[in-house]
Amino acid sequence: KELDAAHQRGAFDKLVIACPPQMLGDLRAALSKHVAGLVVAELNKDLVKTPEHELLGHFQDVPAISGAA
């Protein structure tokens, strides 16, 4: 519901999901059909303890972020 509300407020028009594989299935099941349709990429990695300055490097191969799409 929070992601639906955020999208309605114009907070995002595309969504990239990054989470551990076991969480990814749970998250997919919890997303509304509308928000699920906004997912442009998924990254099967646990980045919780990753320093902020290293985060972007994990997304360089994601076309939706790198501009290659």
Side-chain angles (χ1 to χ4, degrees):
K1 292 182 181 184
E2 290 181 38
L3 288 174
D4 282 305
H7 178 258
Q8 288 176 351
R9 289 191 308 272
F12 64 92
D13 59 356
K14 297 178 186 173
L15 187 62
V16 175
I17 298 173
C19 61
Q22 64 272 15
M23 180 65 182
L24 188 55
D26 293 339
L27 186 55
R28 283 181 187 136
L31 294 176
S32 69
K33 286 184 180 184
H34 179 74
V35 170
L38 300 173
V39 175
V40 295
E42 297 174 346
L43 188 62
N44 294 318
K45 291 186 179 182
D46 185 349
L47 301 174
V48 171
K49 295 182 181 182
T50 303
E52 186 175 345
H53 67 275
E54 294 178 12
L55 285 174
L56 189 57
H58 290 277
F59 294 90
Q60 288 178 344
D61 294 331
V62 177
I65 293 174
S66 68

